[in-house]
Amino acid sequence: MLFSEVCKVFMKIEETSKRTEKIHHFIKLIRMAEKENSPSSLRKICYLSIGRVYPEYESKELGIGPSMLIEAVKSIGIKEKDLLEAIKETGDIGIAIEKLSSQIKQASLFQQPLTLDDVYDTLKKVGEIEGESSQKKKIRYISNLLLRATPLERRYIARIILEDMRIGMNIPTILSAFSKYFGIPKEKLERIYAVVNDIGLLGEKLLMGVDIDKDEDLKLKLFRPIRPMLAQIAPSIKDAIEEIGTPQFETKYDGARVQIHRSGDKVKIYTRKLEDITNSLPEIVEEIKKLDRDNFIMEGECVAIDLNTGRPRPFQDILRRIRRKYDIEKMKEEISLRVYLFDILYHKEPLLDMPLKERRKILEEILSEDNDWEKKREKIEREIKSDKKIDISYKLVTRDVEKAEEFYRWSLGIGHEGVMIKNLNAVYTPGSRVRTMYKFKPTLESLDVVITKAKIGMGKRKDWYGSFEIAVRDEDGNLHPIGHVGSGLSEEELDRLSKMIDSIKIKEEGDEVIVKPEIVLEVTYEEIQESDKYSCGYALRFPRVVRIREDRPPEDINTLEDVKRIFQIQKGRRAEKN
Ligand code: AMP
């Protein structure tokens, strides 16, 4: 398949802002792959259309930043000064190269036009180059590719390299296109996608015509991390009991979620962003290896513990451990970790369709412990200060509101965030916010939002960005601004955030920059108001940053639905008070 044909469709997709039209054009790409009888082409198209080369579950990147790309562009004849000027003007390196194409040295006349495979395979190769003079080699491959490309192809090659496609395709839109073309309900595709996290693989399998309910590659497997199931907010403990009956309450630990995969001596630990953090947590890996069962995927919350008090240390400490790439042994001495395991998703086979009751039983068997708070409170309290590295979450199964509230207050008393309230009959639905698992915290719910714009600060803050436009998302992945936040950040955080913002800038508009929506903030606020200031109809009153959530992917931020729900809960709480 010619790459130029694919690019023409990419351009059509880019030119429309209507989702239905984007879907319509994407279906043309599916048809092109089908006509050539090439499911693998569809796989590559899927990745490229979202600016990737590797599947989403792999944290691997091409490793080429803007400066390296500029080097490659210079080497084929474009003048640096012109290039920088054009980038500034258009805010888009892809368009800049396309526009300046007349400066490029002519490739040989006998050159074959680029195929999709040429482009994809070269980029994949570039990502795999390592070691000495890897930078030079990468630049050489890219210059060759750009040299052979047409101006339009250059636009997209440059953007793919920087992993910023800007044609407005995202996973929900591709899934809608698959649903329409292959006649499969979107919810079903969403469920499979949440397990595989590989849109290319799903596209390829659909075009191959496999039975998607039975295909082994589309099932949960070891060492391919999945998106976790997310909780909803409960208005109160009483409400949750009324809805669920007899739930299992668990302490809601204040930490970072981890997914642990083990087969024999091979152990991998992933974050909820699906990043591999195995090397940062050697003591946890060791503990997991000591268990006498293997072949499993477990989930838990990783907490930094102050061993003198048994209380959790600030969230920042966990991030310091997770992000650490060197001096890990030293860091291990400084910050003690404990993982509270709360679920098992795989043991010799996928367990997702098993009710929580049974999954918990398996987990308790493997860990030889149940941490039933009613029966073992004293033992639990003794062990909080021990240097236990892994444990099972504390639980209380009850329909007694008072008892549940006591457990909730006790959980707060040991320094954690609140409680999780889980339906014991519920299956595990990866990647979605379910009504079978609730969280209850003392404060009005904080929101996870993503930064869409940043504004240069004033006075003392003039060297940093000082105010950030924040947005929630809707079911289709579209972002909706809901406020501006500037307070709550320390100088160190402002500095770090400003560097992060600079690395994902898309466009400058006066003293404001538009950024790729990648940085997740957890914010509190005084209340949610109905407001016509933002098109979504709501605004956060006095938002304040609680922390930068580097452990969370932007796909997991709160939705407009959540905002509406919290707005209702807030109204209810206010009515109760009056
Ligand atoms: P939130 O981050 O407020 O949406 O709350 C859900 C998060 O709480 C999950 O993603 C987990 O990271 C965390 N969590 C802490 N303790 C538990 C627990 N016992 N069960 C499930 N999730 C927990």
Side-chain angles (χ1 to χ4, degrees):
M1 187 182 299
L2 286 182
F3 188 57
S4 59
E5 296 300 318
V6 178
C7 287
K8 277 184 206 151
V9 184
F10 282 165
M11 193 173 74
K12 290 256 180 268
I13 296 176
E14 183 175 350
E15 277 168 358
T16 175
S17 57
K18 290 206 185 86
R19 217 171 144 263
T20 46
E21 287 178 13
K22 287 187 193 287
I23 293 171
H24 167 79
H25 293 307
F26 193 83
I27 285 175
K28 279 195 226 154
L29 292 170
I30 307 179
R31 279 212 190 92
M32 277 159 60
E34 180 162 51
K35 216 164 129 205
E36 294 202 1
N37 205 358
S38 174
S40 69
S41 293
L42 182 56
R43 184 180 190 139
K44 295 172 184 176
I45 288 170
C46 288
Y47 297 144
L48 298 183
S49 69
I50 52 168
R52 295 189 66 95
V53 174
Y54 302 101
E56 304 85 283
Y57 70 85
E58 276 189 40
S59 16
K60 212 166 149 59
E61 288 172 354
L62 280 184
I64 305 168
S67 49
M68 221 157 128
L69 178 58
I70 289 174
E71 280 309 308
V73 176
K74 265 162 53 187
S75 77
I76 56 171
I78 294 186
K79 291 193 201 81
E80 186 172 5
K81 190 172 141 274
D82 295 345
L83 183 64
L84 295 180
E85 226 162 68
I87 295 174
K88 199 155 182 217
E89 205 175 288
T90 57
D92 182 343
I93 192 162
I95 297 269
I97 302 173
E98 181 183 0
K99 272 187 160 175
L100 295 169
S101 277
S102 59
Q103 293 186 8
I104 294 177
K105 289 182 275 187
Q106 272 302 306
S108 139
L109 285 175
F110 304 105
Q111 202 95 30
Q112 294 287 328
L114 284 173
T115 62
L116 171 68
D117 291 343
D118 287 335
V119 175
Y120 181 84
D121 297 347
T122 307
L123 291 178
K124 199 156 176 213
K125 216 180 283 164
V126 167
E128 269 138 33
I129 298 174
E130 278 177 4
E132 228 180 291
S133 62
S134 61
Q135 200 148 331
K136 261 199 193 136
K137 281 187 206 148
K138 286 186 184 203
I139 292 180
R140 196 165 346 113
Y141 272 108
I142 293 168
S143 337
N144 280 337
L145 204 52
L146 289 172
L147 206 55
R148 286 180 59 192
T150 63
L152 183 66
E153 287 173 331
R154 289 182 186 128
R155 176 197 307 185
Y156 292 115
I157 292 173
R159 289 184 185 170
I160 293 163
I161 286 174
L162 296 183
E163 294 174 349
D164 184 15
M165 233 349 218
R166 302 187 181 196
I167 60 172
M169 282 309 285
N170 54 20
I171 301 291
T173 313
I174 299 181
L175 289 177
S176 297
F178 285 167
S179 166
K180 193 156 176 221
Y181 186 74
F182 295 104
I184 300 169
K186 190 171 173 208
E187 297 70 42
K188 185 167 178 180
L189 294 174
E190 279 168 347
R191 274 202 302 279
I192 297 174
Y193 178 75
V195 170
V196 297
N197 284 295
D198 185 340
I199 195 71
L201 174 72
L202 181 55
E204 181 173 24
K205 290 282 177 179
L206 287 168
L207 203 51
M208 282 162 74
V210 303
D211 181 344
I212 53 170
D213 293 313
K214 300 224 171 78
D215 192 89
E216 285 302 317
D217 290 334
L218 297 179
K219 291 198 178 139
L220 180 61
K221 353 196 238 213
L222 283 168
F223 307 111
R224 185 172 65 187
I226 61 166
R227 294 215 173 275
M229 175 162 87
L230 304 173
Q232 303 252 10
I233 305 146
S236 71
I237 286 179
K238 188 163 155 271
D239 278 300
I241 289 181
E242 265 165 24
E243 183 170 328
I244 296 178
T246 308
Q248 169 163 297
F249 291 83
E250 290 175 33
T251 298
K252 183 179 191 305
Y253 301 95
D254 188 7
R257 194 161 178 164
V258 289
Q259 207 178 101
I260 304 178
H261 296 224
R262 175 182 182 196
S263 161
D265 261 355
K266 182 172 175 191
V267 174
K268 290 264 177 209
I269 307 181
Y270 304 96
T271 63
R272 61 191 275 178
K273 272 173 141 174
L274 317 183
E275 292 157 331
D276 182 347
I277 49 161
T278 316
N279 293 338
S280 314
L281 311 178
E283 73 269 46
I284 307 294
V285 173
E286 277 319 301
E287 267 331 277
I288 293 289
K289 279 192 195 162
K290 283 187 200 154
L291 295 173
D292 58 11
R293 305 271 194 93
D294 78 332
N295 235 319
F296 56 67
I297 303 177
M298 290 178 182
E299 243 196 331
E301 188 83 351
C302 183
V303 187
I305 293 271
D306 180 337
L307 293 184
N308 294 318
T309 60
R311 296 173 75 85
R313 295 172 51 134
F315 179 72
Q316 205 52 38
D317 284 346
I318 308 160
L319 285 189
R320 279 169 66 204
R321 282 286 320 255
I322 286 179
R323 270 199 261 126
R324 196 67 171 202
K325 300 240 159 56
Y326 52 91
D327 272 352
I328 287 165
E329 286 303 314
K330 192 170 142 241
M331 212 56 187
K332 209 173 93 183
E333 298 304 313
E334 224 174 277
I335 301 173
S336 302
L337 297 180
R338 184 177 304 152
V339 173
Y340 284 99
L341 296 159
F342 54 73
D343 215 329
I344 181 158
L345 316 183
Y346 187 102
H347 184 221
K348 297 178 193 148
E349 58 179 351
L351 308 179
L352 300 178
D353 294 331
M354 211 178 239
L356 172 63
K357 201 171 12 193
E358 289 172 36
R359 299 201 305 276
R360 174 83 188 191
K361 214 151 100 201
I362 297 175
L363 188 63
E364 291 177 354
E365 256 172 49
I366 296 182
L367 299 169
S368 313
E369 182 53 83
D370 65 1
N371 273 348
D372 184 330
W373 182 76
E374 254 190 316
K375 297 193 193 115
K376 303 200 173 151
R377 182 165 167 178
E378 279 180 25
K379 175 190 157 279
I380 290 174
E381 286 176 355
R382 259 196 327 273
E383 281 185 356
I384 286 180
K385 291 188 201 171
S386 73
D387 73 343
K388 243 184 166 179
K389 302 279 183 264
I390 56 174
D391 204 351
I392 191 165
S393 58
Y394 312 144
K395 72 164 186 188
L396 167 69
V397 179
T398 189
R399 56 178 311 145
D400 180 335
V401 178
E402 266 175 42
K403 212 185 271 173
E405 282 176 347
E406 192 191 340
F407 176 64
Y408 161 71
R409 283 191 298 271
W410 176 84
S411 296
L412 294 178
I414 57 167
H416 289 287
E417 280 192 311
V419 285
M420 302 297 293
I421 313 170
K422 303 180 181 181
N423 186 331
L424 281 163
N425 298 317
V427 298
Y428 191 101
T429 6
S432 47
R433 243 175 236 284
V434 293
R435 296 190 63 98
T436 52
M437 174 161 90
Y438 289 98
K439 50 190 175 181
F440 183 70
K441 299 200 257 185
T443 47
L444 225 164
E445 198 54 32
S446 58
L447 281 177
D448 289 338
V449 295
V450 73
I451 297 181
T452 39
K453 285 183 187 172
K455 205 171 179 163
I456 298 285
M458 287 187 295
K460 234 174 91 186
R461 292 178 160 199
K462 71 176 177 0
D463 294 333
W464 298 310
Y465 294 100
S467 160
F468 308 91
E469 181 186 83
I470 48 179
V472 292
R473 62 173 189 86
D474 64 21
E475 297 303 322
D476 294 326
N478 305 312
L479 296 175
H480 301 273
I482 190 166
H484 284 79
V485 66
S487 62
L489 289 157
S490 66
E491 294 201 340
E492 184 270 324
E493 281 171 321
L494 272 177
D495 192 51
R496 193 150 51 87
L497 200 53
S498 295
K499 288 192 181 110
M500 287 160 84
I501 296 271
D502 275 331
S503 70
I504 53 168
K505 253 192 309 205
I506 294 180
K507 204 168 176 201
E508 291 183 20
E509 284 179 347
D511 59 354
E512 202 166 47
V513 292
I514 302 175
V515 295
K516 278 199 245 173
E518 286 181 355
I519 305 173
V520 177
L521 298 179
E522 182 180 340
V523 297
T524 53
Y525 43 85
E526 200 165 275
E527 63 172 356
I528 294 175
Q529 295 175 314
E530 279 177 309
S531 156
D532 48 19
K533 185 165 172 204
Y534 300 104
S535 61
C536 70
Y538 294 91
L540 301 183
R541 187 173 142 88
F542 301 137
R544 203 184 146 74
V545 179
V546 184
R547 50 200 172 192
I548 309 170
R549 296 286 338 201
E550 280 164 85
D551 59 323
R552 302 206 168 165
E555 301 84 57
D556 283 1
I557 59 169
N558 282 102
T559 59
L560 205 47
E561 277 306 306
D562 296 331
V563 170
K564 289 180 192 163
R565 201 172 310 114
I566 298 171
F567 179 75
Q568 290 306 332
I569 292 174
Q570 185 186 278
K571 245 167 105 181
R573 284 194 187 178
R574 211 176 301 129
E576 241 169 59
K577 267 192 213 149
N578 295 333

mmCIF file of all heavy atoms in Angstrom, residues 383-403:
data_model
loop_
_atom_site.group_PDB
_atom_site.id
_atom_site.type_symbol
_atom_site.label_atom_id
_atom_site.label_comp_id
_atom_site.label_asym_id
_atom_site.label_seq_id
_atom_site.Cartn_x
_atom_site.Cartn_y
_atom_site.Cartn_z
ATOM 1 N N GLU A 383 0.874 -5.042 62.953
ATOM 2 C CA GLU A 383 1.698 -5.225 61.746
ATOM 3 C C GLU A 383 1.881 -3.960 60.908
ATOM 4 O O GLU A 383 2.717 -3.925 60.026
ATOM 5 C CB GLU A 383 1.086 -6.319 60.869
ATOM 6 C CG GLU A 383 1.421 -7.684 61.392
ATOM 7 C CD GLU A 383 0.915 -8.772 60.468
ATOM 8 O OE1 GLU A 383 0.249 -8.458 59.461
ATOM 9 O OE2 GLU A 383 1.187 -9.931 60.771
ATOM 10 N N ILE A 384 1.076 -2.959 61.205
ATOM 11 C CA ILE A 384 1.160 -1.743 60.396
ATOM 12 C C ILE A 384 2.575 -1.174 60.398
ATOM 13 O O ILE A 384 3.076 -0.719 59.376
ATOM 14 C CB ILE A 384 0.134 -0.684 60.893
ATOM 15 C CG1 ILE A 384 -1.262 -1.102 60.457
ATOM 16 C CG2 ILE A 384 0.439 0.692 60.305
ATOM 17 C CD1 ILE A 384 -2.350 -0.143 60.880
ATOM 18 N N LYS A 385 3.237 -1.264 61.580
ATOM 19 C CA LYS A 385 4.579 -0.686 61.683
ATOM 20 C C LYS A 385 5.681 -1.664 61.289
ATOM 21 O O LYS A 385 6.847 -1.309 61.323
ATOM 22 C CB LYS A 385 4.825 -0.217 63.120
ATOM 23 C CG LYS A 385 4.004 0.973 63.521
ATOM 24 C CD LYS A 385 4.481 1.454 64.870
ATOM 25 C CE LYS A 385 3.407 2.270 65.552
ATOM 26 N NZ LYS A 385 3.726 2.567 66.921
ATOM 27 N N SER A 386 5.318 -2.901 60.980
ATOM 28 C CA SER A 386 6.357 -3.877 60.627
ATOM 29 C C SER A 386 6.895 -3.549 59.234
ATOM 30 O O SER A 386 6.333 -2.702 58.529
ATOM 31 C CB SER A 386 5.765 -5.277 60.604
ATOM 32 O OG SER A 386 4.960 -5.412 59.451
ATOM 33 N N ASP A 387 7.982 -4.215 58.847
ATOM 34 C CA ASP A 387 8.470 -3.870 57.512
ATOM 35 C C ASP A 387 7.966 -4.855 56.451
ATOM 36 O O ASP A 387 8.644 -5.151 55.476
ATOM 37 C CB ASP A 387 9.994 -3.687 57.492
ATOM 38 C CG ASP A 387 10.706 -5.006 57.604
ATOM 39 O OD1 ASP A 387 10.041 -5.975 58.007
ATOM 40 O OD2 ASP A 387 11.911 -5.061 57.282
ATOM 41 N N LYS A 388 6.760 -5.335 56.670
ATOM 42 C CA LYS A 388 6.091 -6.179 55.674
ATOM 43 C C LYS A 388 6.080 -5.468 54.316
ATOM 44 O O LYS A 388 5.697 -4.307 54.245
ATOM 45 C CB LYS A 388 4.640 -6.362 56.112
ATOM 46 C CG LYS A 388 4.267 -7.774 56.414
ATOM 47 C CD LYS A 388 2.803 -7.876 56.736
ATOM 48 C CE LYS A 388 2.439 -9.349 56.671
ATOM 49 N NZ LYS A 388 1.096 -9.649 56.967
ATOM 50 N N LYS A 389 6.484 -6.168 53.282
ATOM 51 C CA LYS A 389 6.541 -5.508 51.968
ATOM 52 C C LYS A 389 5.271 -5.729 51.150
ATOM 53 O O LYS A 389 4.915 -4.925 50.301
ATOM 54 C CB LYS A 389 7.727 -6.042 51.164
ATOM 55 C CG LYS A 389 9.054 -5.855 51.871
ATOM 56 C CD LYS A 389 9.541 -4.436 51.656
ATOM 57 C CE LYS A 389 10.883 -4.218 52.281
ATOM 58 N NZ LYS A 389 10.819 -3.622 53.615
ATOM 59 N N ILE A 390 4.663 -6.905 51.371
ATOM 60 C CA ILE A 390 3.365 -7.083 50.697
ATOM 61 C C ILE A 390 2.343 -7.575 51.718
ATOM 62 O O ILE A 390 2.679 -8.263 52.681
ATOM 63 C CB ILE A 390 3.410 -8.055 49.495
ATOM 64 C CG1 ILE A 390 3.954 -9.424 49.895
ATOM 65 C CG2 ILE A 390 4.208 -7.500 48.344
ATOM 66 C CD1 ILE A 390 3.882 -10.442 48.764
ATOM 67 N N ASP A 391 1.126 -7.176 51.505
ATOM 68 C CA ASP A 391 0.059 -7.582 52.409
ATOM 69 C C ASP A 391 -1.234 -7.588 51.601
ATOM 70 O O ASP A 391 -1.267 -7.110 50.461
ATOM 71 C CB ASP A 391 -0.030 -6.583 53.580
ATOM 72 C CG ASP A 391 -0.658 -7.233 54.808
ATOM 73 O OD1 ASP A 391 -1.164 -8.357 54.684
ATOM 74 O OD2 ASP A 391 -0.637 -6.594 55.878
ATOM 75 N N ILE A 392 -2.296 -8.122 52.202
ATOM 76 C CA ILE A 392 -3.584 -8.096 51.512
ATOM 77 C C ILE A 392 -4.399 -6.946 52.124
ATOM 78 O O ILE A 392 -4.215 -6.620 53.304
ATOM 79 C CB ILE A 392 -4.290 -9.473 51.650
ATOM 80 C CG1 ILE A 392 -5.505 -9.570 50.732
ATOM 81 C CG2 ILE A 392 -4.662 -9.767 53.088
ATOM 82 C CD1 ILE A 392 -6.012 -11.003 50.549
ATOM 83 N N SER A 393 -5.265 -6.317 51.341
ATOM 84 C CA SER A 393 -5.988 -5.143 51.850
ATOM 85 C C SER A 393 -6.880 -5.530 53.032
ATOM 86 O O SER A 393 -7.401 -6.639 53.097
ATOM 87 C CB SER A 393 -6.816 -4.512 50.728
ATOM 88 O OG SER A 393 -7.716 -5.465 50.209
ATOM 89 N N TYR A 394 -7.035 -4.573 53.967
ATOM 90 C CA TYR A 394 -7.900 -4.807 55.128
ATOM 91 C C TYR A 394 -9.341 -4.775 54.656
ATOM 92 O O TYR A 394 -9.721 -3.887 53.898
ATOM 93 C CB TYR A 394 -7.693 -3.712 56.183
ATOM 94 C CG TYR A 394 -6.237 -3.435 56.505
ATOM 95 C CD1 TYR A 394 -5.804 -2.141 56.791
ATOM 96 C CD2 TYR A 394 -5.298 -4.470 56.529
ATOM 97 C CE1 TYR A 394 -4.476 -1.879 57.098
ATOM 98 C CE2 TYR A 394 -3.962 -4.212 56.835
ATOM 99 C CZ TYR A 394 -3.557 -2.911 57.098
ATOM 100 O OH TYR A 394 -2.251 -2.651 57.384
ATOM 101 N N LYS A 395 -10.139 -5.748 55.129
ATOM 102 C CA LYS A 395 -11.524 -5.795 54.640
ATOM 103 C C LYS A 395 -12.535 -5.906 55.769
ATOM 104 O O LYS A 395 -12.208 -6.369 56.863
ATOM 105 C CB LYS A 395 -11.695 -6.991 53.693
ATOM 106 C CG LYS A 395 -11.685 -8.327 54.409
ATOM 107 C CD LYS A 395 -12.225 -9.445 53.534
ATOM 108 C CE LYS A 395 -12.331 -10.741 54.338
ATOM 109 N NZ LYS A 395 -12.664 -11.897 53.535
ATOM 110 N N LEU A 396 -13.726 -5.476 55.461
ATOM 111 C CA LEU A 396 -14.848 -5.657 56.383
ATOM 112 C C LEU A 396 -16.073 -5.903 55.513
ATOM 113 O O LEU A 396 -16.434 -5.058 54.694
ATOM 114 C CB LEU A 396 -15.056 -4.388 57.222
ATOM 115 C CG LEU A 396 -16.376 -4.326 57.987
ATOM 116 C CD1 LEU A 396 -16.413 -5.362 59.112
ATOM 117 C CD2 LEU A 396 -16.614 -2.934 58.574
ATOM 118 N N VAL A 397 -16.685 -7.074 55.690
ATOM 119 C CA VAL A 397 -17.894 -7.356 54.917
ATOM 120 C C VAL A 397 -19.087 -7.144 55.840
ATOM 121 O O VAL A 397 -19.226 -7.850 56.839
ATOM 122 C CB VAL A 397 -17.865 -8.804 54.375
ATOM 123 C CG1 VAL A 397 -19.144 -9.100 53.598
ATOM 124 C CG2 VAL A 397 -16.643 -9.032 53.501
ATOM 125 N N THR A 398 -19.890 -6.161 55.541
ATOM 126 C CA THR A 398 -21.016 -5.862 56.447
ATOM 127 C C THR A 398 -22.115 -5.069 55.746
ATOM 128 O O THR A 398 -21.859 -4.395 54.754
ATOM 129 C CB THR A 398 -20.530 -5.045 57.666
ATOM 130 O OG1 THR A 398 -21.587 -4.951 58.606
ATOM 131 C CG2 THR A 398 -20.109 -3.633 57.295
ATOM 132 N N ARG A 399 -23.345 -5.170 56.335
ATOM 133 C CA ARG A 399 -24.400 -4.281 55.858
ATOM 134 C C ARG A 399 -24.814 -3.329 56.971
ATOM 135 O O ARG A 399 -25.818 -2.620 56.879
ATOM 136 C CB ARG A 399 -25.582 -5.081 55.318
ATOM 137 C CG ARG A 399 -26.190 -6.075 56.311
ATOM 138 C CD ARG A 399 -27.375 -6.777 55.714
ATOM 139 N NE ARG A 399 -28.271 -5.813 55.121
ATOM 140 C CZ ARG A 399 -28.979 -6.036 54.013
ATOM 141 N NH1 ARG A 399 -28.851 -7.173 53.376
ATOM 142 N NH2 ARG A 399 -29.815 -5.146 53.554
ATOM 143 N N ASP A 400 -24.019 -3.347 58.029
ATOM 144 C CA ASP A 400 -24.295 -2.514 59.196
ATOM 145 C C ASP A 400 -23.599 -1.154 59.021
ATOM 146 O O ASP A 400 -22.379 -1.057 59.034
ATOM 147 C CB ASP A 400 -23.751 -3.262 60.424
ATOM 148 C CG ASP A 400 -23.964 -2.499 61.724
ATOM 149 O OD1 ASP A 400 -24.073 -1.254 61.670
ATOM 150 O OD2 ASP A 400 -24.009 -3.139 62.779
ATOM 151 N N VAL A 401 -24.420 -0.115 58.829
ATOM 152 C CA VAL A 401 -23.870 1.210 58.526
ATOM 153 C C VAL A 401 -22.905 1.688 59.616
ATOM 154 O O VAL A 401 -21.824 2.194 59.329
ATOM 155 C CB VAL A 401 -25.000 2.253 58.328
ATOM 156 C CG1 VAL A 401 -24.423 3.636 58.073
ATOM 157 C CG2 VAL A 401 -25.901 1.843 57.175
ATOM 158 N N GLU A 402 -23.309 1.466 60.881
ATOM 159 C CA GLU A 402 -22.451 1.968 61.971
ATOM 160 C C GLU A 402 -21.095 1.294 61.981
ATOM 161 O O GLU A 402 -20.051 1.931 62.159
ATOM 162 C CB GLU A 402 -23.138 1.749 63.314
ATOM 163 C CG GLU A 402 -23.913 2.975 63.736
ATOM 164 C CD GLU A 402 -24.690 2.729 65.003
ATOM 165 O OE1 GLU A 402 -24.143 2.094 65.924
ATOM 166 O OE2 GLU A 402 -25.844 3.172 65.038
ATOM 167 N N LYS A 403 -21.131 -0.022 61.799
ATOM 168 C CA LYS A 403 -19.875 -0.770 61.807
ATOM 169 C C LYS A 403 -18.989 -0.297 60.642
ATOM 170 O O LYS A 403 -17.790 -0.094 60.784
ATOM 171 C CB LYS A 403 -20.177 -2.257 61.662
ATOM 172 C CG LYS A 403 -19.143 -3.107 62.404
ATOM 173 C CD LYS A 403 -19.354 -4.569 62.178
ATOM 174 C CE LYS A 403 -20.310 -5.174 63.190
ATOM 175 N NZ LYS A 403 -20.626 -6.573 62.850
#
